[in-house]
């Protein structure tokens, strides 16, 4: 039996992708008992709170719309298509993957990827040393073949999590060409290795057999409650292979949130998994794309000709919008949206699930999501606008997050006196509060009062209609850009954190369906007129 599990963003955010994986194992045990011993399972982490790509925060990155298909494909459907051949060559166990990456590869027609060995099995992709500093890196056991093949089954000596280049050399993770590939690896997160005399093998997804999964489940049931985040890659994989040592457990440089129990928990996981094998499926003719930040999202959907040609991405995907000149290399991207012919969208911008009226001008490198802009509006370059439906006291409301695509929503300070260190659209946040006539008090922030950030700042107005919500948030954004006063005192204000608590997913999907039906009707009418 093949089973698909999507882990909700809140679960991933609280326990980390490793902790949420353990939670999923316990749920499987409760639902199916011994029956899941024979299951092949695809487990996808839906994306945490997606603070680096907040237009995916409400539904999760796994439901990110992709610019192709009629109707539009989402990341989930692409994942299922990419992994369609895996279950038939997979022993009972769990395949663990993230929601914001795309793995493309080419192997021989008679070859296939097998997940049939005990312990863990991970995919590996050739990457530059620079890319390796932001991924997991495999230190592989020696290999006898003189030439690279598209598909190689290797053993891993140890796994390094986001190592420095110095560490890669220190632990012999750096490879040098044998009779190197003829393929061109340009594109994705993997620069052309034909140009690199040295490279490393980086991670993407991994598989664990059923016996290993049961061992982790027994460990989780023994400890009871998790009090710290666990990383499935950093905390599980670093414990594997004959070269693994306990030193990594004390390195917290790559940890998002450092808790007092973390080091102890890491050490317990290390001793649990020590001696477990890490098998590696090396895909020498492959590319790995990450679409987890606003910067990556904009680049891959508008400017990356490699991914566009490989997946058939479209500049206008299932939308009503005037044609974009084909000569433009840096195009905008319109996904399931209705735009008036007199509106304009500058190159490098993405508009999804939105309506734009005739007097709307969108600048370069913007993201517009789930919005309705029908009044005159000029959106400056690098604007981020995303609207959410809310259910508050049984009433339907709307709020729109508006900021800069490069704003760091995760950056936080511990005291009110330090909020001057935060920036909103490149402007000191303290200055923004003055422009909006908001006082600096603890009530300005939701949630943890010692973790103050743009994420939990109560600055976004609540309105009774979607269009009013967008218009009001754009006014506060324009006020900052023009350094002109716009008081928010008369509005009920929410933080992004609170918007997600009150989100009305059903209404947001209804809005998307309305756009879908209107586009479908428009296409039918156009077909009738041309027939």
């Amino acid at each position: 039996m093949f089973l698909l599990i999507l882990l909700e963003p809140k679960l991933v955010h609280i326990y980390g992708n490793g902790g949420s994986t353990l939670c999923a194992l316990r749920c499987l045990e409760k639902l199916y008992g011994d029956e899941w011993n024979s299951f092949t399972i695809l487990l996808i982490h839906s994306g945490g709170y997606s603070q680096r790509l907040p237009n995916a925060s409400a539904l999760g990155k796994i439901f990110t719309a992709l610019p192709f298909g009629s109707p539009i494909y989402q990341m989930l459907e692409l994942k299922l298509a990419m992994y369609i051949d895996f279950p038939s060559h997979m022993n009972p166990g769990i395949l663990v993957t993230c929601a914001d990456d795309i793995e493309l590869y080419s192997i021989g027609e008679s070859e296939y990827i097998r997940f049939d060995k005990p312990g863990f099995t991970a995919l590996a992709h050739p990457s530059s040393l620079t890319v390796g500093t932001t991924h997991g890196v495999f230190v592989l056991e020696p290999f006898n073949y003189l030439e690279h093949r598209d598909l190689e089954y290797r053993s891993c000596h140890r796994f390094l999590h986001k190592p420095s280049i110095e560490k890669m050399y220190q632990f012999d993770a750096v490879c040098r060409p044998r009779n190197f590939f003829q393929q061109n690896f340009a594109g994705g997160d993997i620069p052309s290795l034909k140009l690199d005399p040295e490279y490393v093998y980086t991670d993407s997804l991994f598989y664990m057999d059923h016996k290993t999964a049961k061992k982790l489940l027994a460990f989780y049931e023994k400890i009871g409650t998790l009090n710290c985040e666990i990383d499935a890659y950093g905390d599980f994989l670093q414990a594997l292979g004959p070269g693994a040592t306990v030193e990594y457990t004390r390195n917290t440089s790559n940890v998002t949130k450092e808790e007092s129990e973390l080091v102890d928990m890491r050490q317990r996981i290390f001793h649990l998994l020590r001696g477990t094998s890490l098998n590696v499926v090396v895909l020498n003719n492959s590319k790995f794309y990450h679409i987890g930040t606003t910067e990556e999202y904009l680049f891959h959907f508008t400017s990356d000709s490699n991914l566009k040609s490989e997946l058939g991405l479209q500049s206008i995907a299932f939308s009503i919008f005037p044609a974009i000149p084909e000569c433009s290399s840096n195009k905008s991207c319109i996904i399931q949206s209705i735009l008036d012919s007199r509106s304009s969208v500058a190159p490098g911008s993405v508009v999804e699930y939105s309506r734009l009226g005739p007097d709307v001008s969108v600048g370069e490198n913007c993201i517009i999501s789930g919005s309705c802009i029908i009044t005159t509006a000029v959106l400056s370059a690098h604007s981020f606008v995303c609207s959410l439906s809310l259910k508050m006291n049984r009433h339907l409301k709307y709020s729109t997050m508006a900021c800069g695509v490069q704003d760091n929503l995760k950056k936080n300070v511990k005291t009110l006196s330090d909020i001057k260190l935060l920036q909103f659209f490149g402007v000191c946040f303290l200055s923004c509060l003055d422009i909006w006539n908001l006082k600096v008090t603890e009530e300005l922030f939701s949630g943890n009062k010692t973790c103050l950030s743009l994420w939990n700042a109560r600055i976004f107005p609540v309105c009774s209609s979607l269009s009013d919500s967008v218009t009001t948030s754009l006014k506060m954004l324009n006020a900052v850009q023009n350094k002109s006063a716009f008081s928010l005192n008369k509005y009920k204000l929410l933080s992004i954190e609170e918007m997600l608590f009150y989100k009305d997913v059903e209404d947001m999907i209804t809005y998307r369906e309305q756009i879908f039906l209107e586009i479908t009707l428009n296409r039918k009418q156009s077909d009738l007129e041309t027939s």
Side-chain angles (χ1 to χ4, degrees):
M1 177 177 175
F2 174 73
L3 188 66
L4 168 66
I5 299 176
L6 302 179
L7 294 182
E8 68 163 317
K10 184 176 181 181
L11 192 66
V12 177
H13 181 79
I14 294 173
Y15 299 116
N17 53 27
S20 59
T21 298
L22 298 179
C23 290
L25 297 181
R26 183 164 64 181
C27 289
L28 283 169
E29 186 82 8
K30 287 182 178 180
L31 286 170
Y32 298 102
D34 291 338
E35 195 179 347
W36 77 284
N37 294 1
S38 61
F39 289 0
T40 53
I41 298 163
L42 172 60
L43 190 152
I44 305 176
H45 300 117
S46 294
Y49 281 159
S50 190
Q51 291 170 299
R52 296 187 299 166
L53 187 63
N55 54 311
S57 295
L59 272 68
K61 289 180 182 176
I62 193 60
F63 298 110
T64 297
L66 301 172
F68 68 102
S70 178
I72 290 298
Y73 289 107
Q74 297 177 325
M75 184 65 82
L76 173 59
E77 290 151 321
L78 179 60
K79 286 277 180 182
L80 293 175
M82 289 191 300
Y83 306 154
I84 193 169
D85 292 328
F86 289 175
S88 58
H89 305 293
M90 187 173 155
N91 284 354
I94 300 177
L95 190 72
V96 180
T97 185
C98 296
D100 58 4
D101 59 28
I102 298 171
E103 303 93 7
L104 302 179
Y105 61 89
S106 176
I107 57 178
E109 287 187 13
S110 60
E111 293 181 310
Y112 49 83
I113 295 174
R114 300 194 309 270
F115 299 98
D116 57 1
K117 294 183 179 179
F120 286 76
T121 301
L123 299 190
H125 312 271
S127 307
S128 70
L129 274 60
T130 302
V131 168
T133 61
T134 58
H135 291 72
V137 172
F138 300 101
V139 180
L140 300 177
E141 298 285 8
F143 197 54
N144 294 328
Y145 287 96
L146 295 178
E147 292 187 1
H148 284 279
R149 296 177 297 171
D150 287 347
L151 174 65
E152 298 174 352
Y153 290 94
R154 306 277 298 271
S155 295
C156 185
H157 183 69
R158 71 182 298 168
F159 178 84
L160 309 175
H161 186 57
K162 298 181 180 179
S164 65
I165 291 177
E166 181 183 14
K167 289 281 187 185
M168 295 178 207
Y169 282 111
Q170 178 184 344
F171 292 109
D172 293 326
V174 179
C175 304
R176 293 165 184 83
R178 300 174 235 167
N179 289 334
F180 212 121
F181 331 80
Q182 296 302 309
Q183 296 91 342
N184 181 6
F185 288 90
D189 287 348
I190 304 172
S192 172
L193 290 176
K194 293 174 76 175
L195 303 177
D196 286 338
E198 298 177 319
Y199 59 98
V200 292
Y201 285 109
T202 56
D203 64 339
S204 57
L205 59 81
F206 69 84
Y207 158 89
M208 66 176 103
D209 71 337
H210 182 75
K211 182 180 179 181
T212 304
K214 291 285 281 189
K215 181 189 287 189
L216 283 167
L217 174 60
F219 168 77
Y220 181 51
E221 290 180 332
K222 182 178 179 181
I223 63 175
T225 304
L226 282 176
N227 295 313
C228 61
E229 289 186 17
I230 297 176
D231 182 10
Y233 295 84
D235 296 331
F236 291 172
L237 299 190
Q238 282 191 105
L240 308 177
T245 61
V246 75
E247 278 76 20
Y248 78 87
T249 60
R250 292 182 286 272
N251 179 8
T252 58
S253 59
N254 291 316
V255 176
T256 303
K257 186 170 60 176
E258 186 174 346
E259 294 101 342
S260 56
E261 299 94 339
L262 179 61
V263 172
D264 176 65
M265 182 59 66
R266 280 180 159 184
Q267 291 179 350
R268 293 171 71 176
I269 292 172
F270 169 78
H271 291 294
L272 174 77
L273 295 177
R274 183 171 57 177
T276 304
S277 60
L278 176 54
N279 310 291
V280 179
V281 180
V282 173
L283 298 169
N284 281 317
N285 189 10
S286 67
K287 295 179 184 179
F288 173 89
Y289 295 91
H290 188 251
I291 308 179
T293 68
T294 54
E295 183 180 9
E296 292 169 339
Y297 178 83
L298 289 171
F299 172 70
H300 289 309
F301 282 9
T302 66
S303 307
D304 185 358
S305 58
N306 292 295
L307 184 60
K308 181 171 289 191
S309 63
E310 288 157 359
L311 286 184
L313 303 187
Q314 300 168 307
S315 296
I316 304 177
F318 196 70
S319 296
I320 301 173
F321 185 56
I324 299 171
E326 286 301 320
C327 59
S328 173
S329 59
N330 185 17
K331 300 175 181 178
S332 57
C333 179
I334 314 299
I335 306 172
Q336 194 167 316
S337 295
I338 300 173
L339 282 67
D340 189 277
S341 60
R342 290 164 290 176
S343 64
S344 64
V345 179
S349 291
V350 176
V351 179
E352 62 166 4
Y353 301 122
S354 295
R355 296 175 183 267
L356 303 188
D359 300 311
V360 177
S361 174
V362 178
E364 293 183 350
N365 302 313
C366 294
I367 296 175
I368 313 297
S369 177
S371 298
C372 178
I373 312 176
I374 55 178
T375 58
T376 301
V378 177
L379 280 73
S380 300
H382 308 288
S383 295
F384 177 90
V385 178
C386 177
S387 302
L388 269 62
S389 304
L390 313 173
K391 186 60 68 71
M392 303 179 70
N393 298 320
R394 299 183 180 179
H395 294 290
L396 181 60
K397 300 290 184 180
Y398 300 90
S399 189
T400 297
M401 52 181 105
C403 55
V405 293
Q406 296 170 329
D407 285 350
N408 186 350
L409 302 181
K410 299 179 75 170
K411 181 178 180 179
N412 65 82
V413 295
K414 294 183 178 180
T415 64
L416 291 173
S417 60
D418 285 334
I419 65 170
K420 61 180 179 292
L421 301 176
L422 302 177
Q423 286 206 327
F424 179 94
F425 218 107
V427 177
C428 170
F429 189 51
L430 202 58
S431 301
C432 296
L433 296 176
D434 188 49
I435 289 171
W436 299 325
N437 196 25
L438 295 178
K439 294 181 180 179
V440 181
T441 66
E442 284 195 351
E443 290 303 308
L444 181 66
F445 295 90
S446 61
N448 188 345
K449 305 300 183 183
T450 60
C451 186
L452 312 178
S453 65
L454 297 183
W455 183 258
N456 65 349
R458 291 183 170 123
I459 57 175
F460 300 108
V462 176
C463 298
S464 297
S465 74
L466 177 57
S467 58
D468 285 347
S469 164
V470 180
T471 300
T472 307
S473 289
L474 287 179
K475 286 180 180 177
M476 63 171 283
L477 192 60
N478 290 333
V480 170
Q481 294 165 348
N482 299 327
K483 295 182 171 56
S484 58
F486 178 70
S487 179
L488 292 175
N489 276 336
K490 63 179 180 179
Y491 296 97
K492 165 74 175 174
L493 301 175
L494 295 180
S495 65
I496 300 176
E497 178 181 57
E498 290 173 318
M499 289 165 65
L500 296 179
F501 177 80
Y502 291 114
K503 67 183 179 182
D504 186 338
V505 173
E506 185 177 346
D507 189 71
M508 285 186 278
I509 292 176
T510 298
Y511 178 64
R512 295 182 179 190
E513 288 176 345
Q514 290 170 350
I515 293 176
F516 170 82
L517 292 173
E518 191 170 332
I519 294 170
T520 301
L521 180 60
N522 178 273
R523 289 190 165 194
K524 287 180 179 178
Q525 290 174 339
S526 297
D527 291 342
L528 287 173
E529 291 171 1
T530 56
S531 62

